[in-house]
Amino acid sequence: MSMSRSMSRHLVALSAAVCVAAGLAATPATAEPVSKESATTESAAPKPRPKTLGELARKHHKYFGSATDNPEFTDAAYLKLLGSEFGQTTPGNAMKWYATEPEPGVFDFTAADEVMAFAKNHHQKVRGHTLVWHSQLPAWLTDRTWTAEELRPVLKNHIQTVARHYKGKVIHWDVVNEAFNEDGTYRESVFYKTLGPGYIADALRWAHEADPHAKLYLNDYNVDGINAKSDAYYRLIKQLKADGVPIEGFGLQGHLALQYGYPAGIKENIQRFADLGVEVAITELDIRMELPATPQKLATQATWYADYVRACLAVRKCVGVTLWDYTDKYSWIPAVFPGEGAALPYDEDLRPKPAYRAIRKVLGG
């Protein structure tokens, strides 16, 4: 006996009600059940990779970098961090005179080219360091007495040969490094004693001829705040600009030590050079301490790093920050200042220290 249509609809509705009451889903026969595995996969989507220091700095239209040196290029773990965390690098020694012109008129760019190749492969900017410095000169230059007529063409040839080799490949050149004493008098280097103070303007002009697109810098330490030494640079740069000399940047090395206190007026000092119309870069930042390192010292160091980076961020024409290498493993400090060290944001095992986290926080990480 057949059912009526109304009876059939009634039984279907009753069946659905029973299913709901029993806690069962009334799904179409063609629907695929959702597996527990797929639901877990969707809820456990991978988190985005934390931004690097280089990426965080770019949000502020600045770079954040680390110097490096060739012996470190055998350390794969070190290179991985150097290439991934930083957007800029500086050859610590490979572009200095002793390395690039070890014999008169004989140039060797092997070490510097290695750093340049690494930077290119990792999309990093490069600061050139340094064309003229009183230190790390080859013996053939320092073991004799020069006349101005003899030294002038030697200096010009060195500057222009090195600058031309890297033409278009570096963003800055530290053309003259550490030209003043602490009291603001000229350092009596072989160049100053032989050629007089005009060697600085000549060096800048020669570098500009060789590479017109690189920004040309003067660079020094203990010029973080306003003092006799930074005043001397302020007067010099003001005069160079008035004379039409191509000077476009001032580098504050930023080699600090906890035992001497944090320099006052860093932001104000950066701003006054910016107001002269030049860029400012923090070029060799490290903050050493008397060993052993303690949690309190590391906390103070972290605060100093944060404050220095914050001072750069506060001035538009402060273009970037470079650590003088990023790990205590390769710091120059212990060899030069016995009993001191722990100066960098990564420890000797390449682990981030409180300073690293403080820098990240200032950059917005």
Side-chain angles (χ1 to χ4, degrees):
M1 184 173 63
S2 64
M3 297 184 194
S4 68
R5 289 184 180 177
S6 61
M7 178 75 68
S8 176
R9 285 196 298 269
H10 176 75
L11 289 175
V12 169
L14 182 61
S15 174
V18 171
C19 288
V20 170
L24 301 175
T27 58
T30 56
E32 291 288 338
V34 178
S35 71
K36 184 182 293 186
E37 181 179 354
S38 64
T40 303
T41 302
E42 289 178 11
S43 63
K47 295 181 179 179
R49 174 184 61 80
K51 291 188 180 297
T52 66
L53 295 180
E55 290 168 339
L56 291 170
R58 281 199 295 273
K59 290 166 44 182
H60 301 276
H61 307 289
K62 305 182 191 297
Y63 61 78
F64 199 97
S66 170
T68 190
D69 210 356
N70 297 81
E72 301 160 22
F73 276 49
T74 60
D75 187 334
Y78 166 88
L79 288 179
K80 183 177 180 180
L81 263 176
L82 177 67
S84 62
E85 188 71 33
F86 302 99
Q88 176 271 331
T89 193
T90 303
N93 288 293
M95 289 182 173
K96 291 173 180 173
W97 199 316
Y98 83 97
T100 53
E101 192 181 0
E103 301 294 335
V106 178
F107 288 84
D108 183 357
F109 298 110
T110 305
D113 285 352
E114 183 180 21
V115 178
M116 295 296 295
F118 179 89
K120 182 179 180 181
N121 290 339
H122 293 83
H123 310 289
Q124 293 175 322
K125 302 176 187 293
V126 178
R127 297 192 77 256
H129 177 82
T130 174
L131 294 173
V132 187
W133 190 30
H134 68 275
S135 186
Q136 289 183 262
L137 296 170
W140 66 264
L141 191 61
T142 58
D143 288 353
R144 57 160 289 182
T145 301
W146 298 85
T147 66
E149 291 73 20
E150 291 168 334
L151 185 58
R152 185 177 171 84
V154 168
L155 179 60
K156 180 179 181 180
N157 183 59
H158 177 80
I159 290 171
Q160 295 203 323
T161 301
V162 177
R164 284 195 184 109
H165 185 78
Y166 295 109
K167 182 178 180 180
K169 299 178 181 178
V170 300
I171 57 168
H172 305 158
W173 266 113
D174 290 332
V175 178
V176 180
N177 195 47
E178 301 175 5
F180 285 102
N181 296 312
E182 299 304 300
D183 63 359
T185 58
Y186 281 96
R187 184 187 294 275
E188 294 199 357
S189 65
V190 61
F191 309 109
Y192 176 80
K193 290 189 294 185
T194 308
L195 301 173
Y199 84 92
I200 296 175
D202 287 337
L204 290 162
R205 291 188 182 102
W206 293 333
H208 182 70
E209 288 174 6
D211 187 353
H213 300 295
K215 299 288 183 71
L216 305 183
Y217 274 64
L218 303 179
N219 188 55
D220 215 323
Y221 63 92
N222 287 352
V223 291
D224 312 278
I226 298 173
N227 54 35
K229 196 174 189 179
S230 63
D231 282 347
Y233 277 104
Y234 185 85
R235 291 190 297 268
L236 175 61
I237 291 173
K238 187 175 182 179
Q239 188 61 54
L240 290 170
K241 289 187 70 66
D243 294 341
V245 177
I247 173 68
E248 296 156 293
F250 183 46
L252 281 59
Q253 291 184 10
H255 295 300
L256 305 184
L258 294 188
Q259 62 269 29
Y260 300 127
Y262 187 76
I266 292 178
K267 175 183 173 294
E268 292 76 14
N269 190 42
I270 294 172
Q271 186 65 62
R272 70 167 176 161
F273 281 95
D275 291 343
L276 282 180
V278 296
E279 296 180 350
V280 178
I282 315 307
T283 58
E284 306 181 20
L285 184 59
D286 53 23
I287 302 172
R288 67 186 188 269
M289 63 187 69
E290 294 175 334
L291 298 174
T294 64
Q296 182 179 5
K297 290 177 185 177
L298 291 173
T300 301
Q301 180 190 60
T303 299
W304 286 25
Y305 266 110
D307 288 346
Y308 212 131
V309 173
R310 191 178 291 112
C312 180
L313 294 182
V315 180
R316 184 181 61 82
K317 289 183 75 69
C318 185
V319 296
V321 177
T322 307
L323 304 171
W324 205 237
D325 222 319
Y326 70 86
T327 167
D328 295 335
K329 185 176 183 179
Y330 296 115
S331 174
W332 65 289
I333 298 292
V336 178
F337 298 99
E340 299 181 38
L344 293 159
Y346 286 80
D347 69 16
E348 293 187 1
D349 296 316
L350 308 183
R351 294 176 303 199
K353 294 156 60 177
Y356 172 82
R357 293 184 282 275
I359 293 167
R360 283 193 63 86
K361 185 174 180 180
V362 169
L363 292 175

